[in-house]
Structures are given as structure tokens and as C-alpha cells.
Amino acid sequence: VLRGSAQVAKTQIGINWLGYIADMAPGSMIMAFPSIDERSKFSNLRLQPSIDASPRMAELIHDQVSRDEKGSTTTLKKFSGGWAQLITTSSSKGMQGLPIRYVFGDEVAEWPLDTDGRGGPIEQLDTRQKTFGDLAKSFFTSTPGVKGICKISKLYEEGDQRVRYLPCPHCGDFSPLRYERMKPGDSRTNHIPYFDCPACGCAIEQHHR
């Protein structure tokens, strides 16, 4: 579960994961979005350009070819040993059917509490993964929603809430870049805000990150 601010590459991680699955661990995958519009934007503006820009992904994921059952479509990406289906959580149709090993859920905070009277999308997708047991993997990401009813926050709080520790470029000490450590810029950083290292006190600037 990844809860974070907007435009920090959360969705790109899901695309990179698809590339890894197609290359190293083929299997069935669902990529779920809150609406048809979000699914369409992801497919046309994020996923397909990433496939086209990556020689390895372009080699592995079948081309979109009309009237060719072996080819991919805008909502179904096929590769040897598996496939990735793009669905919306506003309809239960895409969350029913064949067993699914991998699930990537984007903008989870915008998902409905219940879809078509069958329960929440997260629970429906979890049911499709039961066949794979411990081999099933899920990645849910979103910017947070309304406190108290936010679905991504609930998932995050149910997990171990780990954060990334990064090394200081000056002393090598590892620590998380928490907002509370951000300092206003000064002359030494060209007045650009920076993080201070809790171990040595040096400035961790934007170019270091």
C-alpha cells in the first residue's frame, strides 16, 4: 500500500511492475481504476507510451492489432504466459471471472464503498486472488481522501506503515525525509527549501534527492 501526494510516480510504479511481471514472473493481472475516464487516460497517456518507450516492454507485450485475437487492446495487454486487464471499479463485471494473481489498484480513495451490491472492490478483487494463496500480490496506491472514511488510509493503517530511509549525501546516515525536517531556503541553497540531516546537520538539497 502506497499513500502519498499527487504526482510522485505512484502510478508509474504500477507500470514498472507490469513490465517486471511480463518479463520475470508472467501471470494474470488486473489494473483497476475508479472510472472509465481514469482507465482511458492511464491506457492512452501513461501505459502505452511507456510500452513504446521501453524496448523490452515493447518486445514482450503484444502489439495492438485490430481483428487479431493474439494482439493486445487498449484494455487488455497480452504477453507470453499472462495478461493484464484494465478495469473500472464502478462495475463488478471486470472483478468477476478467472482467478487473478496480481492486482494493481490506482486512486483507491476514489473507489466506491460497494459495487453492484457485491461488496467493496477491494474485497471482490481479493476473492479472485485466493486461488494463488501466498503467491498472489497486490499493490494499492492513492492520494488520501476524507479522513475517517478514506479507503487508502484504512489499508495503509492495516499494514506495517513502513517508510523509505535514504542516505545523507554527506555522512551516509539513513533517515526518512519527513515534512517536519524541511527547512526554508537560505543563501547556501540559493533560497530553495531543503531537508536537514539529523546526524550531521548538513543540507540535503533538491539535486541530492
Side-chain angles (χ1 to χ4, degrees):
V1 177
L2 176 57
R3 179 182 66 177
S5 58
Q7 301 301 316
V8 292
K10 300 187 303 299
T11 301
Q12 186 62 45
I13 295 173
I15 295 174
N16 295 353
W17 187 30
L18 169 60
Y20 173 84
I21 289 169
D23 195 10
M24 303 299 293
S28 52
M29 184 181 192
I30 285 287
M31 307 184 88
F33 304 88
S35 67
I36 293 176
D37 182 56
E38 290 295 325
R39 181 184 67 179
S40 178
K41 286 193 296 185
F42 172 82
S43 178
N44 296 324
L45 303 180
R46 299 293 298 275
L47 179 56
Q48 192 57 48
S50 292
I51 294 172
D52 295 339
S54 168
R56 184 60 176 157
M57 288 185 73
E59 175 187 349
L60 292 166
I61 297 176
H62 300 173
D63 292 335
Q64 294 182 195
V65 181
S66 60
R67 300 185 181 89
D68 183 354
E69 292 185 358
K70 294 182 179 180
S72 296
T73 67
T74 56
T75 59
L76 182 63
K77 302 302 179 183
K78 298 180 180 180
F79 46 88
S80 180
W83 43 266
Q85 182 181 11
L86 280 62
I87 69 165
T88 68
T89 56
S90 58
S91 170
S92 64
K93 184 177 180 180
M95 294 181 283
Q96 309 298 318
L98 296 173
I100 296 295
R101 182 177 178 184
Y102 305 109
V103 169
F104 165 53
D106 200 23
E107 293 302 338
V108 174
E110 298 179 18
W111 289 11
L113 295 174
D114 181 271
T115 303
D116 298 336
R118 294 176 178 267
I122 295 171
E123 291 74 24
Q124 292 189 49
L125 292 170
D126 181 64
T127 298
R128 292 191 65 178
Q129 290 185 291
K130 291 188 181 299
T131 299
F132 291 96
D134 291 341
L135 295 177
K137 294 184 183 297
S138 299
F139 173 50
F140 296 110
T141 182
S142 182
T143 52
V146 178
K147 187 175 181 179
I149 60 172
C150 175
K151 288 175 284 296
I152 195 67
S153 293
K154 182 177 184 293
L155 287 172
Y156 177 76
E157 288 159 5
E158 290 173 351
D160 57 16
Q161 303 175 34
R162 70 183 67 187
V163 296
R164 181 178 293 279
Y165 280 66
L166 299 175
C168 170
H170 309 289
C171 71
D173 184 72
F174 276 80
S175 62
L177 296 181
R178 297 191 181 279
Y179 179 78
E180 294 77 13
R181 285 176 47 202
M182 184 174 284
K183 307 296 181 183
D186 53 31
S187 58
R188 63 174 172 164
T189 65
N190 293 319
H191 301 283
I192 298 173
Y194 65 93
F195 288 91
D196 68 333
C197 173
C200 69
C202 292
I204 302 175
E205 300 181 56
Q206 177 67 27
H207 69 90
H208 292 132
R209 303 199 298 278

